[in-house]
Amino acid sequence: KNQVEQSPQSLIILEGKNCTLQCNYTVSPFSNLRWYKQDTGRGPVSLTIMTFSENTKSNGRYTATLDADTKQSSLHITASQLSDSASYICVVSLSGTYKYIFGTGTRLKVLA
Amino acid sequence: ETGVTQTPRHLVMGMTNKKSLKCEQHLGHNAMYWYKQSAKKPLELMFVYNFKEQTENNSVPSRFSPECPNSSHLFLHLHTLQPEDSALYLCASSQENLRTDTQYFGPGTRLTVL
C-alpha cells in the first residue's frame, strides 16, 4: 500500500534551535518527494522538490535530504524562528501517474 | 500571496443546499487542482485539470462537481452534501501537470455542512 508516514506528529523547540523532521514512504514507483509548509488557516507552500537522483536540496534555512534506497527523507530547519511555527507536510508522487500521496504532517511550534 | 485566490473563505450550508466554490489563479498556469483537507487526515487530491481537461478524478462522490471554463478559473459545485464533507477545500495551480512542477495553493475555503 502506498503510504507516507511522518514523525514526530508534533514538536516544540526554542527559538534559535535546530530540528529535523522525518518522512518514511512506501510509495512505488517513486517519482519525486516534496516538502510543504502550511501555516494555520493558509494553503501549503512548497519548500523543496527532489527527484530520485537528488539526495539533498536547500531553501534558505530549510534543507531536505532523500535516501531513495531506504525510502526516507528528512527536513532540517536551522536556527529556527517563531515564523517557522507551522505544519510541515511530506508528499510523494507516483511515477507514471498524477497521483500524490500526502503525509499527515508534523506540527512544529517554536517558542521564544 | 501565492497568486491563487479562493472565494468564499468560509461557507456554512445545509445538506439540501447548492453552493459553488471558486478558484482563480493569476500565474498563467495551465493545471489546476482541488484538494480536501480534513482534520488530522492527509490532504486528498480530488480533481486535476490540465489545459481545461479533467485528467484525474480521485473517486470523488458525484455530489462534488468540478468545472474548469478556462485555465484561470476552477469551480467546485456542491449539492446534497453530508456533514462529513465539512473540511478545508484547497485549490492549487501549476505550470503544467508535470511531476516536478511546483504547485501554488490558495488559502482555502473552510466548509461546514450542517
Side-chain angles (χ1 to χ4, degrees), chain A residues 18-45:
Chain A
N18 303 336
C19 67
T20 300
L21 314 181
Q22 298 291 342
C23 173
N24 297 338
Y25 61 93
T26 57
V27 177
S28 182
F30 173 89
S31 175
N32 61 72
L33 185 146
R34 306 161 187 244
W35 282 94
Y36 285 93
K37 177 188 178 188
Q38 185 174 21
D39 292 312
T40 301
R42 296 195 170 189
V45 174

Side-chain angles (χ1 to χ4, degrees), chain B residues 76-92:
Chain B
L76 188 63
H77 303 298
L78 316 170
H79 65 98
T80 59
L81 294 191
Q82 306 298 312
E84 59 264 29
D85 296 322
S86 299
L88 181 68
Y89 288 85
L90 292 161
C91 172

Side-chain angles (χ1 to χ4, degrees), chain B residues 9-48:
Chain B
R9 293 294 309 276
H10 301 273
L11 178 63
V12 179
M13 59 187 288
M15 289 190 284
T16 58
N17 292 157
K18 288 186 180 181
K19 297 286 185 184
S20 295
L21 309 185
K22 179 183 175 182
C23 175
E24 184 173 0
Q25 56 95 0
H26 311 274
L27 301 168
H29 289 166
N30 294 303
M32 297 188 77
Y33 312 76
W34 278 118
Y35 288 88
K36 176 184 179 183
Q37 188 174 33
S38 304
K40 299 188 190 279
K41 292 177 69 175
L43 266 78
E44 301 170 53
L45 178 64
M46 300 174 73
F47 302 103
V48 181

Side-chain angles (χ1 to χ4, degrees), chain A residues 31-32 34 36 38 41-46 49 51 89 93-104, chain B residues 2 9 33 35 37 40-43 45 48 55-56 58 88 90 97-103 105-107:
Chain A
S31 175
N32 61 72
R34 306 161 187 244
Y36 285 93
Q38 185 174 21
R42 296 195 170 189
V45 174
S46 179
I49 302 175
T51 59
I89 303 170
S93 64
L94 278 78
S95 179
T97 76
Y98 298 106
K99 290 192 183 296
Y100 302 89
I101 312 298
F102 286 78
T104 53
Chain B
T2 63
R9 293 294 309 276
Y33 312 76
Y35 288 88
Q37 188 174 33
K40 299 188 190 279
K41 292 177 69 175
L43 266 78
L45 178 64
V48 181
T55 57
E56 189 79 22
N58 207 18
L88 181 68
L90 292 161
N97 191 8
L98 299 178
R99 297 180 195 98
T100 54
D101 272 355
T102 298
Q103 292 186 9
F105 283 82

Side-chain angles (χ1 to χ4, degrees), chain A residues 18-81:
Chain A
N18 303 336
C19 67
T20 300
L21 314 181
Q22 298 291 342
C23 173
N24 297 338
Y25 61 93
T26 57
V27 177
S28 182
F30 173 89
S31 175
N32 61 72
L33 185 146
R34 306 161 187 244
W35 282 94
Y36 285 93
K37 177 188 178 188
Q38 185 174 21
D39 292 312
T40 301
R42 296 195 170 189
V45 174
S46 179
L47 295 175
T48 61
I49 302 175
M50 290 183 290
T51 59
F52 186 88
S53 59
E54 297 174 292
N55 55 24
T56 187
K57 186 160 281 190
S58 291
N59 178 356
R61 294 180 296 102
Y62 301 101
T63 299
T65 64
L66 173 64
D67 185 334
D69 291 331
T70 61
K71 299 188 176 181
Q72 295 180 326
S73 176
S74 65
L75 180 69
H76 187 73
I77 304 175
T78 304
S80 60
Q81 300 176 358

